C-alpha cells in the first residue's frame, strides 16, 4: 500500500519513456515500439524478452534438449546419492559468532587441549531399602560400566562406601549400622566428595534418592550419542530397583532420535499440500505432474547438496527445507500457468512463455538472491546456512523452471487445443446464451401480458 504502488508508478513511467526494464537508463529506438506490454496473448517486446526468445531458439533444438535432460538425470542421481549419505549432527558452539572471544577460546582449547572424555551421565536411584537391595546396586554399577562408549567406571558412592568400610574392617550388617556408617562416611575425608550424591530424609534414617555418575568417551557422531543414551536408559529401566538415567546432554541428543523422521514427514506433508494446491489451481493433470516433478526435483537437489556444503541434518537445515519448498513453487508454477494461458501449438506456446513470463520468473529469482546475499557475510552460523540453502533453492528452482520445464513442455506438454482462454471463452458464451434466453423469456412474458390486457379491455 505504500512503496509497492509508488514503484509501480515509476515502472509505468519507465515503460512510457520506452526505457529498458533492467538497464532503465537506456532508451530504445522509438521505431522499435514501446516497451509497454501489449494486450493478453501478445508477446513481450522488451529487450530482455527478445533476448529470452533468441535463447529459446537454441533451447528447443533436440541436441540442446537432450543435453538438458541428461544433465537433469545425472543431477538427480547425484542428489539422491547425496541424500543417502546425510548424517545428523548438532554442535551448540556453532551458534557462537565467529570472531567472538568465546569462539576463539573454544577453538584454541580444541586445538591445544583436546578433551579425551565426553559428558557425565547419572544413574539416579529412587526411594527403596538401600541396605536390603545392596546386591542390586552392585548389578546396576556393573551394567552401567559395561555400557558401550562409557570411558571409565562409575563414580559410585556405594562402591566407595564399601571400600571405606572394608578398610575399617567394619562392614555394616544391619540397617541401622548401614545408615549410621553412611553419615560417618560422608563426614570423613575419604567420603566427603560423595556427600552431594545422596539425599536423606529429615531425620537421616532413610535415603530418598541417590546418584552414581559415569562419563562417556569423546563421542561426536549422532548415532553414538543416541546409542549411549538408549543403552544407559535401558540399563536403568530394566534394573530390579527403581532407577533412571539422566544427563543434561540428553536434552540435545533427543533430537537425533526424531529429527530425521520429522524432517521426512514434514517434507512429505509440504509436498502433498503443494500438490493439492496445484490440482486446484492448474487443473490440467499432465501440467500438474510436470510442475510437481520440477518442484520435487528442486527439493531433492537441495537435500542432496548438503554434503557438498558441509552441512548435516539438524534443526536449522530442517527448518530451511520447509521454507525452500514454498520458495521453489513459484518458478515452475508461473511457467506452467502461462503455458496453459497461451494459444498455438506447443512450440508457439512455450516461446510465448519464454518471451513473457520467464522474464518475470528470472527477475523474481534474482531479487530473492539479492535479498539473502548479504547473509553470506554474517558471523553467526545459522544465517550463513540460511544463505547457502536459499541460494541452492533459487538456483535449482530457476534451473527446473526455466530450463527443464520448458523442455518438457515443448516435448510432451498438454495438447494445443486446451488452454485457459478457451475455458474463459466457453464461460463467456454460456453467459451470453443465458442472457439471451433471459431476454427472450422476458419478451415473451411482456407480450403475453400485453395480449391479456388487450383481451381484458375488449
Amino acid at each position: 500500500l505504500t512503496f509497492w504502488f509508488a514503484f509501480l508508478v515509476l515502472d509505468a513511467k519507465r515503460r512510457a519513456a520506452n526505457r529498458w526494464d533492467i538497464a532503465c537508463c537506456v532508451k530504445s529506438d522509438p521505431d522499435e515500439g514501446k516497451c509497454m506490454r501489449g494486450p493478453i496473448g501478445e508477446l513481450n517486446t522488451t529487450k530482455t524478452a527478445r533476448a529470452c526468445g533468441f535463447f529459446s531458439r537454441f533451447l528447443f533444438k533436440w541436441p540442446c534438449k537432450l543435453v538438458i535432460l541428461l544433465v537433469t538425470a545425472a543431477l538427480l542421481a547425484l542428489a539422491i546419492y547425496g541424500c543417502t549419505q546425510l548424517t545428523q549432527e548438532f554442535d551448540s558452539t556453532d551458534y557462537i559468532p565467529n570472531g567472538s572471544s568465546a569462539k576463539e577460546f573454544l577453538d584454541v582449547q580444541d586445538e591445544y587441549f583436546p578433551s579425551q572424555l565426553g559428558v557425565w551421565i547419572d544413574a539416579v536411584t529412587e526411594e527403596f531399602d538401600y541396605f536390603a537391595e545392596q546386591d542390586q546396586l552392585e548389578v546396576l554399577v556393573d551394567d552401567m560400566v559395561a555400557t558401550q562408549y562409557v570411558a571409565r567406571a562409575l563414580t559410585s558412592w556405594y562402591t566407595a562406601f564399601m571400600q571405606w568400610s572394608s578398610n575399617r574392617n567394619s562392614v555394616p550388617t544391619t540397617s541401622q549400622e548401614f545408615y549410621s556408617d553412611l553419615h560417618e562416611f560422608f563426614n570423613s575425608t575419604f567420603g566427603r566428595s560423595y556427600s552431594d550424591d545422596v539425599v536423606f530424609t529429615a531425620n537421616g534414617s532413610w535415603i530418598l534418592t541417590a546418584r552414581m555418575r559415569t562419563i562417556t568417551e569423546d563421542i561426536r557422531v549422532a548415532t553414538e550419542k543416541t546409542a549411549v543414551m538408549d543403552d544407559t536408559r535401558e540399563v536403568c529401566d530394566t534394573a530390579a530397583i527403581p532407577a533412571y538415567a539422566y544427563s543434561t546432554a540428553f536434552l540435545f541428543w533427543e533430537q537425533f532420535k526424531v529429527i530425521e523422521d520429522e524432517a521426512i514427514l514434514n517434507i512429505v506433508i509440504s509436498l502433498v499440500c503443494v500438490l493439492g494446491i496445484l490440482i486446484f489451481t492448474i487443473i490440467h493433470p499432465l501440467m500438474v505432474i510436470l510442475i510437481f516433478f520440477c518442484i520435487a526435483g528442486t527439493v531433492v537437489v537441495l537435500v542432496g547438496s548438503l554434503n557438498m556444503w558441509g552441512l548435516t541434518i539438524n534443526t536449522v537445515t530442517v527448518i530451511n527445507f520447509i521454507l525452500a519448498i514454498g520458495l521453489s513453487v513459484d518458478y515452475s508454477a508461473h511457467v506452467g500457468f502461462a503455458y496453459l494461458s497461451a494459444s498455438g501449438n506447443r512450440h508457439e506456446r512455450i516461446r510465448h512463455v519464454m518471451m513473457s513470463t520467464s522474464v518475470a520468473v528470472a527477475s523474481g529469482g534474482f531479487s530473492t538472491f539479492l535479498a539473502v546475499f548479504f547473509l553470506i557475510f554474517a558471523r553467526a552460523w545459522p544465517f550463513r546456512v540460511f544463505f547457502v540453502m536459499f541460494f541452492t533453492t533459487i538456483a535449482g528452482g530457476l534451473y527446473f523452471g526455466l530450463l527443464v520445464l520448458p523442455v518438457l513442455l515443448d516435448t510432451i506438454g498438454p495438447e494445443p487445443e486446451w488452454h485457459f482462454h478457451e475455458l474463459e471463452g466457453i464461460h463467456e458464451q454460456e453467459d451470453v446464451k443465458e442472457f439471451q434466453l433471459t431476454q427472450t423469456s422476458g419478451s415473451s412474458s411482456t407480450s403475453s401480458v400485453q395480449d391479456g390486457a388487450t383481451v381484458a379491455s375488449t
Side-chain angles (χ1 to χ4, degrees):
L1 297 178
T2 54
F3 292 102
W4 177 242
F5 288 110
F7 287 139
L8 287 179
V9 172
L10 293 176
D11 187 62
K13 291 181 178 180
R14 173 195 65 79
R15 293 184 176 187
N18 212 36
R19 297 182 181 275
W20 290 15
D21 44 8
I22 294 179
C24 57
C25 57
V26 180
K27 296 186 66 173
S28 298
D29 188 348
D31 295 335
E32 295 182 3
K34 293 287 185 180
C35 290
M36 283 287 291
R37 185 173 179 175
I40 296 177
E42 294 184 9
L43 293 179
N44 199 331
T45 57
T46 63
K47 294 288 186 180
T48 308
R50 276 179 280 182
C52 291
F54 179 78
F55 168 72
S56 65
R57 295 180 183 177
F58 300 95
L59 178 64
F60 300 127
K61 294 183 180 296
W62 266 110
C64 188
K65 290 198 291 185
L66 186 60
V67 169
I68 290 177
L69 292 177
L70 291 176
V71 169
T72 303
L75 181 64
L76 290 177
L78 289 175
I80 293 173
Y81 174 75
C83 292
T84 62
Q85 302 301 309
L86 288 178
T87 58
Q88 300 182 42
E89 191 50 68
F90 173 82
D91 188 354
S92 57
T93 61
D94 288 335
Y95 290 86
I96 302 176
N98 289 337
S100 63
S101 57
K103 187 70 171 179
E104 293 176 357
F105 168 79
L106 293 173
D107 292 340
V108 172
Q109 179 178 264
D110 290 340
E111 182 177 358
Y112 297 104
F113 308 99
S115 174
Q116 301 299 324
L117 300 176
V119 299
W120 287 99
I121 298 178
D122 296 340
V124 182
T125 53
E126 300 180 283
E127 185 176 0
F128 61 92
D129 189 349
Y130 281 75
F131 173 74
E133 301 292 345
Q134 293 182 65
D135 293 340
Q136 298 302 326
L137 280 174
E138 293 178 356
V139 171
L140 179 60
V141 171
D142 294 338
D143 290 344
M144 289 291 291
V145 171
T147 303
Q148 190 179 18
Y149 302 118
V150 170
R152 64 189 185 196
L154 266 68
T155 304
S156 170
W157 63 269
Y158 176 75
T159 303
F161 169 64
M162 296 306 294
Q163 182 181 352
W164 176 79
S165 300
S166 298
N167 293 338
R168 292 185 5 159
N169 295 321
S170 60
V171 177
T173 57
T174 65
S175 177
Q176 185 177 0
E177 290 179 0
F178 178 81
Y179 289 104
S180 176
D181 289 351
L182 266 180
H183 287 288
E184 186 178 353
F185 165 70
F186 289 136
N187 290 324
S188 67
T189 304
F190 186 78
R192 189 172 293 119
S193 60
Y194 299 95
S195 59
D196 292 335
D197 292 343
V198 178
V199 178
F200 291 92
T201 57
N203 57 11
S205 62
W206 192 260
I207 296 178
L208 293 177
T209 184
R211 69 178 180 182
M212 294 176 288
R213 314 196 75 187
T214 186
I215 192 168
T216 67
E217 299 173 358
D218 185 22
I219 51 179
R220 298 181 179 271
V221 182
T223 54
E224 297 175 352
K225 295 176 180 179
T226 54
V228 71
M229 180 175 64
D230 292 339
D231 291 345
T232 53
R233 283 177 171 175
E234 184 179 0
V235 167
C236 292
D237 292 342
T238 57
I241 55 178
Y244 62 89
Y246 175 77
S247 173
T248 53
F250 288 178
L251 301 176
F252 302 98
W253 294 357
E254 282 287 355
Q255 65 175 315
F256 298 130
K257 296 186 64 175
V258 299
I259 193 169
E260 186 174 346
D261 295 336
E262 289 293 328
I264 296 174
L265 177 63
N266 283 278
I267 290 175
V268 170
I269 291 176
S270 299
L271 289 176
V272 169
C273 293
V274 168
L275 180 60
I277 294 173
L278 290 176
I279 293 174
F280 180 76
T281 56
I282 301 299
I283 302 174
H284 195 282
L286 179 58
M287 181 59 74
V288 169
I289 293 173
L290 294 178
I291 295 176
F292 184 76
F293 167 77
C294 292
I295 296 172
T298 304
V299 176
V300 171
V301 169
L302 172 64
V303 177
S305 66
L306 288 187
N307 275 331
M308 181 188 71
W309 297 111
L311 300 175
T312 59
I313 297 179
N314 51 58
T315 52
V316 176
T317 54
V318 169
I319 291 173
N320 278 278
F321 287 157
I322 309 305
L323 296 175
I325 293 175
L327 182 64
S328 62
V329 172
D330 293 342
Y331 306 106
S332 300
H334 287 309
V335 171
F337 186 86
Y339 177 89
L340 293 177
S341 301
S343 302
N345 57 36
R346 287 172 179 164
H347 188 68
E348 291 171 346
R349 290 170 119 184
I350 197 59
R351 282 211 63 197
H352 177 278
V353 172
M354 295 300 293
M355 295 182 66
S356 57
T357 307
S358 65
V359 179
V361 172
S363 299
F366 181 68
S367 62
T368 306
F369 170 76
L370 290 180
V372 300
F373 172 73
F374 291 98
L375 292 177
I376 195 175
F377 304 107
R379 295 171 59 195
W381 171 78
F383 295 111
R384 297 196 301 273
V385 173
F386 191 92
F387 166 79
V388 166
M389 298 190 68
F390 263 54
F391 169 76
T392 306
T393 304
I394 295 168
L398 290 176
Y399 174 77
F400 278 94
L402 297 182
L403 291 178
V404 178
L405 184 58
V407 168
L408 293 176
L409 292 177
D410 187 63
T411 307
I412 58 171
E415 295 298 328
E417 64 270 9
W418 198 98
H419 56 81
F420 282 123
H421 288 322
E422 291 185 356
L423 293 179
E424 294 173 359
I426 293 173
H427 292 318
E428 291 176 358
Q429 293 175 5
E430 292 177 351
D431 292 340
V432 170
K433 290 180 180 179
E434 183 177 355
F435 177 75
Q436 292 175 347
L437 290 174
T438 303
Q439 293 295 320
T440 303
S441 61
S443 300
S444 302
S445 300
T446 304
S447 301
S448 301
V449 171
Q450 292 177 349
D451 293 340
T454 302
V455 172
S457 61
T458 303

